[in-house]
Each structure stands twice: as C-alpha cells, then as structure tokens.
Amino acid sequence: MNAIWPSIEAVLTKYSLVTAFTLVGAVVWVAYAIAGRLAGGRLHGSAIAILMGLAAAYVAGSFTGGAKGVADIGWLAGVGLMGGAMLRDLAIVATAYGVRLEEFIKTGLSGVVSLLLGVFSAFLFGATVAYAFGFRDPVALVTIGGGAATYIVGPVTGTALGASSDIIALSVGAGLVKSVLVMTLTPLAARWIGLDNPRAAMIYGGLLGTTSGVAGGLAATDERLVPYGAMTATFYTGLGCLLGPSVAYIAVRAVVGS
C-alpha cells in the first residue's frame, strides 16, 4: 500500500475536484444511511452530513495546523473549491428554482406574515445573543443573526458583508444547532400546535426556515406534510439571503453604530 499510495495520491490531487465530489457523495450516502437505519428518520441526513463535515474539518485542522479544514490536505484541496462561493451560490440558486410562488400564495396573509416574522425574529435573536457575548461589530452581529435563521443565510450574509471566517463558522454552527433542534422537537410539539394539515405545515416552514430541519421534523411527524413545509422554508432561506446583507445590516448598524 505504501508503495502504490504516491501514485494514487497523484491522481487524486490532479483531479481534486472529482475527488471532492466523490468524497462528499460518500459522506452524504453514509449520513443518510445513518439517518434512515439508526435515527429512524428523526434526524435528517443533511444534518448528520454537516456534523461529519465539521468533525472532519476539526480533525484535519488539528493535524495540519491549517485553517481550511480538509482542504489543507493536498489531495483533498478540491473540497475548498467545491465549498467555495461559486458552487455554494449555484446550490442556493438551484434551491430557489424549486420554489413555486403560486403554491405559497395559497397560504394567504398568514403565510406572508409568518415568513417575515420568522426571518426577522431569527436575525433579532441571533444578533441579541451575539451582542450578549460581547460582539459589537454590526457585520458580526448580522452574520451570526443570519446563522440563527439558517446555516445558509449566515455564510451568504457574512460573505456579502466581508465577515471573517471565524464569524462565518459561528453562524454555521448556530444554524446547525437550530436545524437539529427543529428536527428533534417538531414531532414532539406537532400535536400541541396543530401541525397536522398542509396549511399549518406551510406556516410552520415559514416561521422556522431551515429546510433540512423542517423537512426532517415533518418527515418524523407526517411525511405528507414535508413538501408544504419545505417549500416555505426554502422561501425563508431565499428571503433571508436577500434581507440579511441589506435591511438587517442597515437596521443593526443604525442601532449599534458602525
């Protein structure tokens, strides 16, 4: 093995982006297998995949002493490109294409109000917690607030405003915690909040966002509700990406100063 590894490593390094896609695909496959067989569908595969990715980044960073996680390993450098802004934005746009405006309009005024209330309350909660922990920079406050919305809104907001990688990592962590909590608590709370019909699922998705959390929670509650909740949750993510670097940033800057 030691004799042939240099040859394998050279090929993996040469086609690093293909290597990255293969690795991420394998991680996602394992994560969904764990979600289906061990977690009984109560924990979404995407959340498990993210946890595995964060753990791998930590271990890789500990060994290499670098700051880019597994991308600091030569033959895994393609992971850095795959996780970069270009493909990330492509994934967000692709997600947005799955939204059907006509279906969302069916929720009426309550759907619109739940969406706006959900987005702005998440920003407010995340920014307030960040402020309580000593952050005073409006860019950091809005980025972490965006993470409290979803783990996509946080990085998008942080990148648009020029936040540091540490702040963006915090926003991802906040979004991941929210996603896992929504997944696990939704089946327990569904009975008490009347989450048993498509309209309630749409409003629920609009209030909480985090598509993976809502989809996982509704799958464990009633899988027929998943498309409805996931649709408004996707709207939530798109709206958060639009409002984070603009309205939310202006509002926070007006409150705490530049």
Side-chain angles (χ1 to χ4, degrees):
M1 183 64 184
N2 290 336
I4 64 173
W5 171 246
S7 300
I8 297 175
E9 184 179 19
V11 174
L12 295 177
T13 303
K14 182 177 181 180
Y15 302 102
S16 59
L17 187 57
V18 176
T19 303
F21 271 103
T22 304
L23 175 68
V24 172
V27 170
V28 171
W29 183 81
V30 171
Y32 274 79
I34 293 173
R37 298 177 183 177
L38 300 182
R42 293 183 180 276
L43 193 58
H44 203 271
S46 60
I48 297 175
I50 291 172
L51 286 172
M52 293 171 67
L54 290 174
Y58 175 79
V59 172
S62 300
F63 278 101
T64 63
K68 299 179 181 178
V70 297
D72 285 319
I73 301 173
W75 58 278
L76 290 177
V79 175
L81 176 60
M82 187 179 178
M86 181 179 67
L87 292 178
R88 181 204 62 201
D89 293 346
L90 177 63
I92 293 171
V93 171
T95 302
Y97 267 102
V99 173
R100 295 182 178 179
L101 182 60
E102 63 274 15
E103 293 293 334
F104 176 72
I105 293 175
K106 293 179 182 177
T107 62
L109 180 62
S110 58
V112 176
V113 171
S114 67
L115 195 61
L116 293 173
L117 181 63
V119 171
F120 282 114
S121 63
F123 269 102
L124 178 62
F125 177 77
T128 301
V129 172
Y131 190 88
F133 277 87
F135 291 96
R136 297 294 183 269
D137 179 17
V139 172
L141 292 172
V142 175
T143 301
I144 297 173
T150 78
Y151 52 71
I152 292 178
V153 174
V156 170
T157 301
T159 302
L161 297 175
S164 67
S165 59
D166 292 342
I167 297 299
I168 291 176
L170 279 176
S171 73
V172 173
L176 181 60
V177 169
K178 177 183 178 181
S179 178
V180 173
L181 287 176
V182 171
M183 282 180 205
T184 53
L185 296 181
T186 296
L188 303 176
R191 179 182 175 185
W192 306 103
I193 61 177
L195 189 57
D196 56 5
N197 60 80
R199 188 168 183 271
M202 284 185 177
I203 294 174
Y204 187 70
L207 277 174
L208 295 181
T210 178
T211 306
S212 59
V214 169
L218 291 179
T221 304
D222 184 347
E223 61 183 17
R224 293 172 297 180
L225 301 178
V226 172
Y228 301 99
M231 180 182 63
T232 47
T234 305
F235 256 109
Y236 178 108
T237 300
L239 188 63
C241 292
L242 287 174
L243 297 180
S246 54
V247 177
Y249 175 66
I250 293 172
V252 170
R253 187 170 178 176
V255 173
V256 302
S258 57

